Amino acid sequence: AQSVAQPEDQVNVAEGNPLTVKCTYSVSGNPYLFWYVQYPNRGLQFLLKYITGDNLVKGSYGFEAEFNKSQTSFHLKKPSALVSDSALYFCAVRDRRQAGTALIFGKGTTLSVSS
Amino acid sequence: DAGITQSPRHKVTETGTPVTLRCHQTENHRYMYWYRQDPGHGLRLIHYSYGVKDTDKGEVSDGYSVSRSKTEDFLLTLESATSSQTSVYFCATAIAEYEQYFGPGTRLTVT
């Protein structure tokens, strides 16, 4: 069965410090990988995706993620955190073998950036 | 949220009553999805559609039905609402590959 794990319920960082939000997955084959962000009382916003090619993917708002096939991980990173980055972050995967199949989400990680 | 609206945005209903949530998109995307979001569970798929009149069940489909008579509309019906269906419901759309786009959500409370 396909699954996504976000091992940390909450990540706390100080503004200006680098941040990492972890994600590991269990999917057969080579999946598509995604990160979404959710601000309070809002829908999910797409941040970035890995489809193929370069293992380091750059996305919106200065975020990036590194795909590591051997460790089946797709950690979200940002070199310098902002207070406005505080939100709920979801990692998701999709089986690339079938078009239009639904995303499988992790349980989410709350990022709190202190000033 | 661009191009995807959900109605109503908030609803309180009583146990045993039917409830219909509507998702409307202006993007002409082929695929549409209904998820529910609950603390500690992330988002879980209820039903999805891969075209007009073509739908399939997701992970948590019991007690829910869907219909899609037009490309732009995807309806989710709770046939007889229960307290366990209190949740935030999100609609999403996709062209085919890659990312999905999410609506603003509907907060449903079943008393």
Side-chain angles (χ1 to χ4, degrees):
Chain A
Q2 301 177 72
S3 64
V4 176
Q6 294 182 240
E8 302 154 316
D9 291 337
Q10 179 144 351
V11 171
N12 299 308
V13 298
E15 188 172 34
N17 284 357
L19 68 88
T20 299
V21 182
K22 296 179 180 177
C23 172
T24 59
Y25 63 90
S26 175
V27 175
S28 56
N30 295 316
Y32 296 134
L33 298 159
F34 306 87
W35 275 100
Y36 285 83
V37 61
Q38 184 181 32
Y39 298 100
N41 301 312
R42 300 289 300 276
L44 278 68
Q45 297 179 30
F46 169 74
L47 274 181
L48 52 80
K49 64 178 180 279
Y50 173 80
I51 303 301
T52 189
D54 194 347
N55 289 344
L56 185 63
V57 177
K58 294 189 183 297
S60 306
Y61 313 121
F63 284 93
E64 58 190 26
E66 186 168 13
F67 170 62
N68 188 316
K69 186 174 182 178
S70 64
Q71 297 185 1
T72 60
S73 67
F74 189 55
H75 300 331
L76 182 69
K77 299 180 179 183
K78 188 174 183 181
S80 180
L82 300 172
V83 172
S84 57
D85 292 331
S86 298
L88 181 58
Y89 290 80
F90 289 100
C91 181
V93 301
R94 218 205 81 198
D95 187 340
R96 68 171 61 218
R97 294 172 296 179
Q98 281 187 289
T101 52
L103 297 175
I104 298 170
F105 285 87
K107 294 182 179 181
T109 298
T110 298
L111 174 66
S112 178
V113 181
S114 56
S115 57
Chain B
D1 297 1
I4 304 171
T5 56
Q6 293 184 231
S7 59
R9 294 293 313 279
H10 301 271
K11 185 170 182 67
V12 179
T13 192
E14 293 183 349
T15 298
T17 60
V19 176
T20 295
L21 309 182
R22 180 181 184 238
C23 176
H24 179 78
Q25 58 137 332
T26 59
E27 306 295 327
N28 201 35
H29 287 173
R30 176 182 176 184
Y31 297 90
M32 298 186 75
Y33 310 83
W34 278 107
Y35 294 90
R36 59 178 289 174
Q37 182 179 20
D38 304 289
H41 289 277
L43 277 80
R44 293 178 291 174
L45 180 69
I46 305 171
H47 281 279
Y48 67 101
S49 169
Y50 42 96
V52 173
K53 294 189 181 359
D54 289 325
T55 64
D56 208 345
K57 295 179 180 180
E59 176 188 358
V60 291
S61 60
D62 286 349
Y64 302 94
S65 61
V66 290
S67 66
R68 191 168 178 203
S69 58
K70 299 184 289 185
T71 297
E72 57 266 34
D73 290 325
F74 193 32
L75 303 181
L76 176 71
T77 298
L78 289 66
E79 294 139 9
S80 177
T82 68
S83 59
S84 65
Q85 293 176 313
T86 292
S87 187
V88 181
Y89 291 85
F90 286 100
C91 173
T93 72
I95 298 172
E97 305 298 325
Y98 313 153
E99 65 266 28
Q100 295 178 5
Y101 302 92
F102 284 80
T106 294
R107 185 174 297 274
L108 176 68
T109 302
V110 183
T111 61

